[in-house]
């Protein structure tokens, strides 16, 4: 591409200008015409058969161009990150930097990287402390970076939409440094060690004339510059006062000295003392290796002996265990041959065992059902007993109101109308209760007759009270008889 060669030309000019004039002072862009810019290398339109267009316009002009690099391709971005990481490691970047940290660096980290790379071009460069968002794009533009890097991108360098463009500018700067270093190496061996001419104006003028001439030829479609290279080499020889005869004599002297060195090396190889000494050193080395190998073999042998002794003990223990198992087998075989039961008897016993187990399971289920039924009956009896106790409490309460309880009460007439609960119900308890109820009824009739003859004024009231009492007593009798029947049935069930 055209802008690659243009970049090379600009970098060569930049590097040698920096070497000639000391500290680099990059000027801000001046308002000059495009003719003034192109006059340094000649007109771009010289020659009718021009085959290339400069990607920079008039060598660093203000023309904008679209970046052809796939900076939005993740694979390409990762490749650029790896290239940057390798370059920083190779050049001794003073800090820890990895591919992971370069995925989204901060603005501070970017400025350190930029300052480190730019110092490879200008060792005296120092990053300004203010307005770095303006200085970095300006420096790149003055170097000839062909694409626009906005100031806003410096505020958020590691953002996903900003980092690829900033990374592209850093990779371009790395290529710039590599081209500058290659140019230094290309022209580093033309002098005899003194730098007076290189640091002067003549050398820079000669180099810039050569660069301008080759660049113009390149813009006209040429790909090789043999004539320009030969002419430039001849000018360099004249500049450095190179003597062709001296060069030829030096080459001959070098050839003679090389032959002498080769002969001396061969003679030194035929020295028997040196050979023996070399053999002695080799034998001593082999002896040390053999001794080391012997010690390793001895330790290995000791380990094998230990393992062998352990295996022998395990083998002996296994033999004893086998003997024990054989004795147990013979004993069991003897028991099998002398036992009383035949296989048919054992089968029958197992069948009877299964039948008995089924019977036990069935009886267990029946027992569980009977226990469940008894539990239900006990619950029902407890409820009936609670009801009878409630009714009995109501009876006692009513009897106290009628002054029938206790025996010394006004209307008891010496009879005990109190019904006492018993812990167990049975036929005798039922008979006793019925007899007591009959006695109460008889006594009630006699007391009623006595009261009727004795108290004529309250006969009507007492008759009504007596009627109510009789009705209550009748209900209590029926309830008590029912309770007695339930208790009797429960006792029969328990028996």
């Amino acid at each position: 591409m055209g802008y690659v060669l243009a970049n090379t030309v600009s970098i060569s000019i930049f590097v040698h200008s920096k070497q000639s004039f000391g500290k680099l002072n990059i000027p801000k862009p001046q308002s000059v015409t495009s003719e003034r810019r192109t006059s340094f290398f000649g007109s771009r339109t010289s020659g009718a058969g021009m085959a290339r267009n400069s990607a920079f316009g008039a060598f660093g002009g203000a023309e904008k161009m679209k970046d052809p690099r796939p900076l939005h391709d993740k694979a390409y971005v990762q490749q650029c990150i790896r290239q940057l990481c390798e370059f920083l490691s190779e050049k001794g970047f003073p800090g820890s930097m990895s591919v992971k940290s370069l995925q989204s660096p901060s603005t501070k980290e970017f400025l350190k990287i930029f300052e480190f790379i730019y110092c490879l071009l200008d060792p005296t460069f120092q990053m300004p402390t203010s307005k770095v968002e303006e200085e970095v794009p300006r420096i790149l533009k003055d170097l000839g970076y062909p694409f626009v890097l906005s100031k806003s991108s410096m505020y958020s360098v590691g953002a996903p939409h900003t980092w690829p463009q900033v990374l592209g500018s850093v990779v371009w700067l790395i290529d710039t440094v590599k081209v500058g270093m290659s140019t230094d190496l290309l022209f580093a061996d033309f002098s005899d060690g003194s730098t007076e001419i290189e640091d002067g104006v003549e050398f820079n003028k000669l180099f810039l004339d050569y660069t301008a001439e080759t660049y113009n030829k390149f813009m006209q479609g040429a790909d090789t510059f043999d004539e320009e290279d030969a002419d430039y080499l001849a000018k360099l020889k004249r500049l450095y006062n190179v003597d062709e005869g001296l060069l030829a004599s030096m080459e001959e002297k070098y050839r003679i000295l090389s032959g002498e060195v080769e002969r001396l090396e061969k003679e030194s190889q035929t020295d028997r003392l040196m050979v023996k000494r070399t053999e002695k050193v080799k034998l001593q080395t082999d002896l040390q290796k053999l001794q080391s190998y012997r010690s390793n073999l001895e330790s290995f042998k000791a380990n094998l002996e230990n393992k062998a002794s352990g295996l022998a003990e395990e083998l002996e223990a296994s033999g004893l265990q086998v003997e024990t198992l054989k004795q147990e087998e013979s004993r069991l075989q003897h028991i099998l041959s002398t036992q009383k039961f035949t296989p048919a008897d054992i089968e029958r016993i197992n069948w009877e065992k299964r039948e008995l187990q089924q019977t036990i399971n069935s009886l267990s289920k029946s027992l569980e059902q009977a226990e469940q039924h008894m539990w239900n009956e006990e619950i029902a009896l407890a409820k009936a007993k609670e009801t009878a106790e409630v009714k009995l409490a109501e009876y006692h309460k009513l009897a106290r109101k009628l002054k029938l309880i206790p025996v010394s009460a006004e209307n008891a007439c010496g009879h005990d109308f109190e019904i006492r609960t018993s812990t167990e119900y049975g036929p005798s308890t039922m008979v006793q209760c019925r007899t007591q109820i009959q006695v109460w009824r008889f006594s009630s009739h006699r007391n009623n007759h006595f009261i009727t003859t004795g108290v004529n004024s309250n006969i009507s009231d007492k008759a009504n009270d007596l009627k109510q009492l009789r009705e209550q007593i009748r209900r209590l009798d029926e309830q008590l008889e029912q309770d007695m029947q339930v208790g009797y049935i429960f006792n029969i069930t328990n028996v």
Side-chain angles (χ1 to χ4, degrees), residues 1 3 54-56 62-72 145-148 165:
M1 298 175 64
Y3 78 92
S54 174
F56 295 93
E63 296 182 14
K64 294 183 179 180
M65 62 175 295
K66 185 178 180 181
D67 195 340
R69 296 172 295 180
L71 294 178
H72 296 287
Y145 185 59
F147 311 113
V148 177
Q165 283 74 21

Coordinates of all heavy atoms in Angstrom, one line a residue, residues 1 3 54-56 62-72 145-148 165:
M1 N 0.8 -1.2 0.0 CA 0.0 0.0 0.0 C 0.9 1.2 0.0 O 2.0 1.3 0.6 CB -0.9 0.0 1.2 CG -1.9 -1.2 1.3 SD -2.9 -1.2 2.8 CE -3.7 0.3 2.6
Y3 N 0.6 4.1 1.5 CA 0.8 4.8 2.8 C 1.9 4.2 3.6 O 2.5 4.8 4.5 CB -0.5 5.0 3.6 CG -0.9 3.8 4.3 CD1 -0.5 3.6 5.6 CD2 -1.8 2.9 3.7 CE1 -0.9 2.5 6.3 CE2 -2.2 1.8 4.4 CZ -1.8 1.6 5.7 OH -2.2 0.5 6.4
S54 N -0.8 8.8 -3.1 CA -0.3 8.8 -1.8 C -1.5 8.8 -0.8 O -2.5 9.5 -1.0 CB 0.5 10.1 -1.5 OG 0.9 10.1 -0.1
A55 N -1.4 7.9 0.1 CA -2.5 7.9 1.1 C -2.5 9.0 2.1 O -3.4 9.3 2.8 CB -2.4 6.6 1.9
F56 N -1.4 9.8 2.0 CA -1.3 11.0 2.9 C -1.6 12.3 2.2 O -1.4 13.3 2.8 CB 0.2 11.1 3.5 CG 0.5 9.9 4.4 CD1 1.1 8.8 3.8 CD2 0.2 9.9 5.7 CE1 1.4 7.8 4.6 CE2 0.5 8.9 6.5 CZ 1.1 7.8 6.0
A62 N -4.0 17.5 5.1 CA -5.2 17.4 5.9 C -6.2 16.5 5.4 O -7.4 16.5 5.9 CB -5.7 18.8 6.2
E63 N -6.0 15.7 4.3 CA -7.0 14.8 3.8 C -7.3 13.7 4.7 O -6.4 13.1 5.3 CB -6.5 14.2 2.4 CG -6.2 15.3 1.4 CD -5.8 14.6 0.1 OE1 -5.9 13.4 0.0 OE2 -5.3 15.3 -0.8
K64 N -8.5 13.4 4.9 CA -9.0 12.3 5.8 C -9.2 11.1 5.0 O -9.7 11.1 3.8 CB -10.3 12.7 6.5 CG -10.1 13.8 7.5 CD -11.4 14.1 8.2 CE -11.3 15.2 9.2 NZ -12.5 15.5 10.0
M65 N -8.8 9.9 5.5 CA -9.0 8.7 4.8 C -9.6 7.7 5.8 O -9.4 7.8 7.0 CB -7.7 8.2 4.3 CG -6.6 7.9 5.3 SD -5.2 7.2 4.6 CE -5.8 5.6 4.0
K66 N -10.3 6.7 5.3 CA -10.9 5.6 6.1 C -9.9 4.6 6.4 O -9.1 4.2 5.6 CB -12.1 5.0 5.3 CG -12.8 4.0 6.1 CD -14.0 3.5 5.3 CE -14.8 2.4 6.2 NZ -15.9 1.9 5.4
D67 N -9.9 4.2 7.7 CA -8.9 3.2 8.2 C -9.3 1.8 7.6 O -10.3 1.3 7.8 CB -9.0 3.1 9.7 CG -7.8 2.4 10.3 OD1 -7.1 1.7 9.5 OD2 -7.5 2.6 11.5
P68 N -8.4 1.3 6.7 CA -8.7 0.0 6.1 C -8.5 -1.2 7.1 O -8.9 -2.3 6.7 CB -7.7 -0.1 4.9 CG -6.5 0.7 5.4 CD -7.1 1.8 6.3
R69 N -7.9 -1.0 8.2 CA -7.7 -2.1 9.1 C -9.0 -2.6 9.8 O -9.8 -1.7 10.2 CB -6.7 -1.7 10.2 CG -5.3 -1.4 9.7 CD -4.4 -0.8 10.7 NE -4.9 0.5 11.2 CZ -4.3 1.2 12.1 NH1 -3.2 0.8 12.7 NH2 -4.8 2.4 12.5
P70 N -9.2 -3.9 10.0 CA -10.4 -4.4 10.6 C -10.4 -4.2 12.1 O -10.3 -5.2 12.8 CB -10.5 -5.8 10.2 CG -9.0 -6.2 10.0 CD -8.3 -5.0 9.5
L71 N -10.4 -3.0 12.6 CA -10.3 -2.8 14.0 C -11.5 -3.2 14.8 O -11.4 -3.3 16.1 CB -10.1 -1.3 14.3 CG -8.8 -0.7 13.7 CD1 -8.7 0.8 14.0 CD2 -7.6 -1.4 14.4
H72 N -12.6 -3.5 14.1 CA -13.8 -4.0 14.8 C -13.9 -5.5 14.9 O -14.8 -6.1 15.4 CB -15.1 -3.5 14.2 CG -15.2 -2.0 14.3 ND1 -15.5 -1.4 15.5 CD2 -15.0 -1.0 13.4 CE1 -15.6 -0.1 15.4 NE2 -15.3 0.2 14.1
Y145 N 0.5 10.2 11.3 CA -0.5 9.1 11.5 C -1.7 9.5 10.5 O -2.2 10.6 10.6 CB -1.0 9.1 12.9 CG -1.9 7.9 13.2 CD1 -1.6 6.6 12.9 CD2 -3.2 8.2 13.7 CE1 -2.5 5.6 13.2 CE2 -4.1 7.2 13.9 CZ -3.7 5.9 13.6 OH -4.6 4.9 13.9
P146 N -2.0 8.6 9.6 CA -2.9 9.0 8.6 C -4.4 9.0 9.0 O -5.2 9.4 8.1 CB -2.7 7.9 7.5 CG -2.3 6.7 8.3 CD -1.5 7.2 9.4
F147 N -4.7 8.6 10.2 CA -6.1 8.6 10.6 C -6.4 9.5 11.8 O -5.5 9.8 12.5 CB -6.5 7.1 11.0 CG -6.1 6.1 10.0 CD1 -5.1 5.2 10.3 CD2 -6.6 6.1 8.7 CE1 -4.6 4.3 9.3 CE2 -6.2 5.2 7.8 CZ -5.2 4.3 8.1
V148 N -7.6 9.9 11.9 CA -8.0 10.8 12.9 C -8.2 10.1 14.3 O -9.0 9.1 14.3 CB -9.3 11.6 12.5 CG1 -9.7 12.6 13.6 CG2 -9.1 12.3 11.2
Q165 N -9.6 1.8 18.2 CA -8.9 2.9 17.4 C -7.6 3.3 18.1 O -6.6 3.6 17.4 CB -9.9 4.1 17.3 CG -11.0 3.9 16.3 CD -12.1 3.0 16.7 OE1 -12.2 2.7 17.9 NE2 -12.8 2.4 15.8

